[in-house]
Amino acid sequence: MRADPPRLNRRALLAAPIALAACDRFAAIQPAAGPLAPPLKSLVPAPFGATGMTGQLDQPDWVEQILRHCSQLTPEWEQKMERTLGPGFSYDFEPSDRMVAFAGDNGLRVHGHTVIWYSQGSDVFNDDLPRARFAAEYDRYISTFVGRYRGRMAGWDVVNEPVAEDGDGLRDCHWSRALGMDGYMVRAFEQAHAADPDALLFLNEYNLENIPAKGTTFLRLVERLLKLGAPIGGIGTQSHLNIEIPAGQIRDFFRDAASLGLPIHVSELDFPMQRDGGRGPDLRSTAERRAQQVARVGELAEAFMTLPERQRYAFTTWGLRDNDSWLVREEGKNRPDESALLLDAEGRPNPAYQAVVEAFTGRAGA
C-alpha cells in the first residue's frame, strides 16, 4: 500500500486581487539564510503543530524536524474517510494507528482530522442506502473511529467544511440529504462526544479570513449548532491564506470568532506565493510576494496572540517544511517552486517565520 494518498482532495484557494497595504509592519522582513530555525514549540504561546503522513515516519530528516519544532501532530490523510472506510462498511485504521502511536511514543499530542467531510464517503454512504441503515452506519462509524482513540486525542475535527464555497449558506451533500442540514452535524458531535468525552470537538472550515461572508456564515452556524445542543468544544480556521487580502481582514475575523468564547485552532496554515489559474498573468515580483506573505502571516499570528490564553488551542501548519506541502507534491498542486510554510526544505526559517516570532515574542527571529 502506498504511504502517501493517490490524490489529496484539497481545494483551490480563492484569491482576491487586492494590493498589500503599504503600512504593514512585517513587510520589511527578509529571508534568513544560515542556521536551522529555533524550535517553534518554544516560541508559540500554544501547542505548535504540523501535519504528517505514514511515509514520512521513515524519513529521518522529517522526524528530526517534527520533534524539534512540534508539540502536536495532525494526521494529514490517514484519518480521512477515503482511507478508513471501505466497501460494505469495512474499516481500516492501520495507518491512523501508526500516526497516533508515533505521536504517543514521542510525547506529541494528536489532533484528529477528520471524521465527517462532505467530500468523502458518498461511495459507501450513497443516496440509495435506506435511511435507517444510513443513520445506523453513520453512528457506528463515528463511535467506532473516535472511540478507538478514547483518552488519546487532544481534539477532533468532527465536521469539516460544511459552509458553501462563497459563504452563501451550507453545502448540500450526502450527509445533509440523509440526516438534515443541521441534523448531520449535531448527530456527529453527539456521537463523537459519547465516544470520547474528554476530547475537544471542532467544527473546521477554510477561507474564513479570505472571504468575510463565509466567516460570518460559519460563526452563525456555530451559534446555531450550540443552541441545538451540539457539544462543540472549539472552532478551527484552516487559514490557507490568500496573501493578497486587505490588511485587517484576518484581525476582524479573529475578533468575531473570539466573541464566541470557544478555543480556536489555526488548523491548516499555509500561505502560497503562487495564484491559482484563471486570473491572467501574475506580474508580482518575488520580493512583493514575500512581503505579502510576511504581512498576512504576521497579522494572523498577532490576532492569535490577542486571544485569551484559554482560547489558544493550537497553531498548526499544513506541512512543516516547504517540501512537505501539498502544494508542492505531484498529487497536490504540483508546484515545485512553491514556498508556503514557515521553514524551507533544510529547516531554515522562511521570512514568515520571522513574522511569527516577532508577533509571539516581541523580538526578531533567528
Side-chain angles (χ1 to χ4, degrees):
M1 182 195 80
R2 290 185 56 176
D4 290 345
R7 188 173 189 276
L8 291 178
N9 291 321
R10 310 302 305 165
R11 87 293 305 156
L13 301 178
L14 185 64
I18 304 172
L20 176 71
C23 62
D24 283 323
R25 59 182 289 246
F26 297 103
I29 295 177
Q30 298 299 316
L36 296 178
L40 283 156
K41 65 185 179 183
S42 67
L43 301 170
V44 177
F48 177 79
T51 53
M53 295 189 292
T54 48
Q56 293 170 315
L57 301 182
D58 300 320
Q59 299 173 10
D61 59 331
W62 179 85
V63 172
E64 179 183 1
Q65 291 297 318
I66 284 287
L67 298 184
R68 175 182 177 82
H69 288 284
C70 295
S71 51
Q72 178 174 292
L73 184 67
T74 299
E76 186 167 335
W77 173 70
E78 284 75 5
Q79 294 182 335
K80 290 186 169 75
M81 195 174 280
E82 67 178 357
R83 182 61 191 83
T84 58
L85 181 65
F89 297 100
S90 59
Y91 303 154
D92 181 1
F93 299 121
E94 188 273 333
S96 173
D97 289 348
R98 284 193 63 196
M99 297 302 296
V100 174
F102 168 82
D105 290 345
N106 288 282
L108 303 174
R109 74 177 198 171
V110 190
H111 181 79
H113 177 81
T114 179
V115 184
I116 297 297
W117 187 18
Y118 80 90
S119 179
Q120 296 182 359
S122 60
D123 50 341
V124 179
F125 284 96
N126 57 62
D127 291 340
D128 295 329
L129 194 68
R131 290 298 176 259
R133 174 78 186 281
F134 191 112
E137 294 292 355
Y138 186 84
D139 292 349
R140 184 170 74 93
Y141 176 79
I142 297 170
S143 62
T144 301
F145 185 23
V146 176
R148 185 179 187 87
Y149 305 107
R150 184 183 179 114
R152 301 170 66 189
M153 310 291 281
W156 284 94
D157 292 331
V158 175
V159 175
N160 194 45
E161 302 174 1
V163 179
E165 184 75 25
D166 61 0
D168 185 13
L170 305 181
R171 293 184 187 273
D172 174 72
C173 62
H174 48 298
W175 311 121
S176 64
R177 290 191 295 272
L179 301 172
M181 190 63 78
D182 290 345
Y184 86 88
M185 290 183 267
V186 172
R187 191 174 190 130
F189 278 98
E190 289 175 342
Q191 291 294 323
H193 180 67
D196 191 355
D198 294 329
L200 275 182
L201 307 181
F202 285 77
L203 191 70
N204 192 49
E205 186 58 88
Y206 71 102
N207 272 347
L208 300 178
E209 304 94 343
N210 297 340
I211 305 175
K214 189 166 187 177
T216 298
T217 298
F218 175 80
L219 295 178
R220 287 175 178 168
L221 172 63
V222 174
E223 290 179 311
R224 186 168 71 250
L225 294 178
L226 287 170
K227 289 178 181 178
L228 291 172
I232 297 174
I235 55 179
T237 177
Q238 294 180 17
S239 299
H240 295 291
L241 294 181
N242 168 12
I243 61 175
E244 297 178 82
I245 62 175
Q249 201 160 290
I250 296 170
R251 178 202 62 215
D252 291 347
F253 171 74
F254 269 76
R255 179 199 62 217
D256 294 342
S259 70
L260 297 182
L262 296 172
I264 296 175
H265 186 196
V266 173
S267 59
E268 304 184 17
L269 174 62
D270 57 24
F271 29 94
M273 296 178 71
Q274 301 177 38
R275 294 173 181 161
D276 285 314
R279 296 179 52 206
D282 187 348
L283 302 179
R284 293 172 299 162
S285 67
T286 299
E288 182 181 2
R289 297 178 195 194
R290 281 297 193 189
Q292 290 175 328
Q293 278 188 322
V294 167
R296 296 287 70 76
V297 176
E299 182 183 338
L300 177 76
E302 283 194 329
F304 188 79
M305 186 65 181
T306 63
L307 296 172
E309 184 177 359
R310 64 180 178 80
Q311 288 187 263
R312 299 179 207 145
Y313 171 79
F315 195 88
T316 296
T317 56
W318 201 251
L320 182 61
R321 306 163 300 172
D322 285 338
N323 56 313
D324 300 322
S325 173
W326 71 283
L327 297 161
V328 170
R329 296 196 299 261
E330 289 185 6
E331 73 273 9
K333 288 290 186 179
N334 192 24
R335 300 174 181 170
D337 297 326
E338 184 64 86
S339 177
L341 292 169
L342 298 176
L343 304 174
D344 70 10
E346 285 72 43
R348 297 186 299 253
N350 282 330
Y353 174 99
Q354 314 293 341
V356 167
V357 171
E358 184 173 337
F360 286 149
T361 69
R363 57 184 172 81

